[in-house]
Every structure is written in C-alpha cells, then in structure tokens.
Amino acid sequence: MSSTAAPELAAESADRARAIYDLGNTAMFACKADPRFHYCLYVPPAVGKGGKVELLVAVHGTSRTSFLEFRDGFAEFGRWNNCAILCPIFPVGVRGDGARSGYKYMAEGDIRYDQVLLSMVEEVAGKYRQDWSRFAMFGFSGGGHFVHRFAILHPRRLWAASIGAPGSVTLLDPDRDWWVGVRDLQQKFGIAFDAEALRRVPVQMVVGDADLETWEITHKEGGAYWMPGANDAGRTRPERLRALQQSFEAAGVSVRFDLLAGVSHERMKVLGHVKDFLADHLARMRRG
C-alpha cells in the first residue's frame, strides 16, 4: 500500500462511519457531561452537506420506549423542514432506586434534568457545527411534564413548545411551591421566573378527549410527589391541561389548545397536529 493510500482509506472509512452512525437515524450516544444519560438523533441530509438546520427535542414518556418512535416519527418532518431531532433518554432508576418519574419534575437528588438536556444540546450543536442556542421541544405524557416545566425554567432557550397530555401540571402560581406552583423557583433552581420571556414562546397543548384514565396521575398522600394541591388542577389529563392553559394565558402566553376527538392516551396519534404546529412556527421564525 502506498504512503498516500492509507490516509485516503482512513478518510473513506471515517466518511462511511459518519454516514452510518452520525447522519440520518443515528446510533445511540452517551452524554459526555453525564454518561448515565443517552440520546439518539435524526440528522437531515442538509447537515452532511454543511447546511444549517433547526433543532427539535422530543422527550419520551414514563416507559422510555417512545424515544425511537419520536425519532422515526419526526424524521420525515425533519428531512423536509431542515430540522434535526434529538431524543434524550432518562433511564428508570438512574440513582439505583427504581424511581420512574424524577426527570418529569426536573430535579432528583443531585440530578438537574434540565441541565442534562442542555448539556446534550450543547454537545450535539458542537459536533454538527450548528447554532442551537434556541430549539423547539415536544413531549408526551411524562415528556409533557418535562416540556412545560422546562419552558417555565428556560423560556429563552425555546422557539416553540408542544406539551402533550402531562399527568400533572405546574401552574404559574406565585403562592405555591414547586412543583404545584412557582413560588420557590429561585430557591429550588436558582432561576427567577421570567414571564416576559415565556410570553414570547409559541405554545401548543395537545390531549385526547378520551384520555380519561386517572389511576397513574392521582397523587396520594405519602407518595413521592405528594404535596398539598397536587390534584387541584383537575381529575383527568384534559382537565389538568386546561388548567395549565388558563394559567399560561393569564400570564399572557399565547396557547394553541388541541383537544383531539376520540383519542385516548395514544402518543402517535398526536404527532400530525404537533408537526402542523411546529411547521407553522418554523416558517414564521425563518421569515423573521
């Protein structure tokens, strides 16, 4: 083999590996900032050609299985709208205790899930040479928990937020502590609530009108996330999401509320409505 052939073969191998593992439907990666957490992506062809694209973060529910459904379900949207899809994975029992719901409430022991997610975004933005200082976010069920609470904490990082069927909601109530309200946001997270920034985020709330099971979302005294007022936003997911809508709108946030006829707790049946919402606001943002 000639001295020039070896570098050429190495470059060809690197290009092939990048095409297989880093573009399109990617491999699963450990987060460099905290390898307990993982992510995968859909990266559209424009990135492989040096183009600039937007970013959508799609957050799984309690089962964690939906991260691949969301990655693949948004892939066509990402391809034709020049938008990468980042799907974080927050495992059950990451602290060795079997707990399922820590990520939904942003803080669990020494873990700040909002900061973990921001580390992932920073990592992939550097890798793909993109400016993802602002991005869109969608989540369903447990992911809907995450998205609306992330929006409350970090509205300046979002160009859109789609909140799907969360089981419990944090209202913008200055008279109640986190997670029911936002009174102690500064003490809890070191972040002051920024209503003005939140008002600039286009928000969608989406839930099926047949999503009426309450066994998993009714907080009981003694439970891990029980606190006074835990069930005050309503009994069912549609009721609780309406309460969140009213709370956001009272703070001046514009909310598109999609109540889907005949749909129960079925995440894939909401994606078409989410794509419509995101495509609309992506076009508006690009028009300036």
Side-chain angles (χ1 to χ4, degrees):
M1 183 180 295
S2 70
S3 59
T4 58
E8 289 175 358
L9 285 174
E12 181 182 346
S13 296
D15 289 343
R16 182 175 297 180
R18 183 168 186 260
I20 294 172
Y21 301 116
D22 295 333
L23 298 174
N25 291 345
T26 73
M28 189 179 301
F29 299 95
C31 176
K32 292 180 180 179
D34 191 334
R36 294 176 295 179
F37 303 103
H38 308 90
Y39 62 86
C40 64
L41 304 104
Y42 170 76
V43 180
V47 173
K49 301 172 184 177
K52 300 301 181 183
V53 302
E54 308 301 335
L55 177 67
L56 167 64
V57 176
V59 186
H60 60 69
T62 309
S63 71
R64 275 71 174 174
T65 56
S66 57
F67 74 93
L68 282 179
E69 293 176 334
F70 290 162
R71 193 270 305 271
D72 297 347
F74 280 109
E76 184 178 14
F77 171 87
R79 178 181 180 88
W80 299 114
N81 289 278
N82 284 332
C83 190
I85 316 300
L86 169 64
C87 296
I89 303 145
F90 303 124
V92 171
V94 72
R95 301 174 68 231
D97 55 5
R100 295 187 297 269
S101 297
Y103 79 102
K104 303 174 189 177
Y105 297 89
M106 293 292 140
E108 183 179 26
D110 63 344
I111 302 169
R112 279 280 302 275
Y113 286 95
D114 58 325
Q115 297 295 343
V116 173
L117 187 280
L118 288 170
S119 294
M120 291 179 182
V121 171
E122 181 180 5
E123 181 178 323
V124 295
K127 178 177 180 176
Y128 294 102
R129 299 181 180 178
Q130 300 289 324
D131 176 9
W132 287 334
S133 53
R134 294 173 69 232
F135 47 90
M137 186 176 283
F138 161 72
F140 186 85
S141 194
H145 278 252
F146 187 95
V147 171
H148 84 277
R149 295 188 178 111
F150 186 93
I152 290 169
L153 292 174
H154 302 285
R156 294 182 184 274
R157 298 304 307 268
L158 297 176
W159 56 260
S162 177
I163 302 159
S168 297
V169 295
T170 295
L171 304 182
L172 305 180
D173 187 341
D175 298 319
R176 294 188 176 186
D177 289 339
W178 188 269
W179 59 267
V180 170
V182 297
R183 176 170 55 192
D184 60 343
L185 213 60
Q186 183 71 53
Q187 297 93 319
K188 183 86 173 175
F189 297 103
I191 296 173
F193 175 57
D194 191 342
E196 181 180 352
L198 186 60
R199 285 194 285 270
R200 293 196 292 269
V201 180
V203 173
Q204 178 190 40
M205 299 182 185
V206 57
V207 65
D209 68 358
D211 193 348
L212 303 176
E213 293 280 357
T214 61
W215 67 271
E216 192 175 21
I217 69 171
T218 302
H219 294 275
K220 298 178 181 178
E221 195 164 357
Y225 294 98
W226 164 260
M227 61 184 297
N231 297 308
D232 286 0
R235 189 179 64 87
T236 66
R237 293 176 194 269
E239 290 174 2
R240 292 181 178 187
L241 200 56
R242 280 292 188 192
L244 185 66
Q245 175 196 16
Q246 293 164 6
S247 179
F248 271 42
E249 289 181 340
V253 180
S254 177
V255 177
R256 166 178 160 173
F257 195 97
D258 289 323
L259 184 66
L260 308 184
V263 174
S264 59
H265 202 56
E266 300 168 277
R267 54 187 177 252
M268 300 307 289
K269 290 188 176 181
V270 311
L271 291 197
H273 298 268
V274 175
K275 291 173 188 177
D276 288 345
F277 166 77
L278 293 172
D280 180 39
H281 286 287
L282 185 56
R284 293 186 189 189
M285 183 174 66
R286 286 173 172 164
R287 288 196 300 266

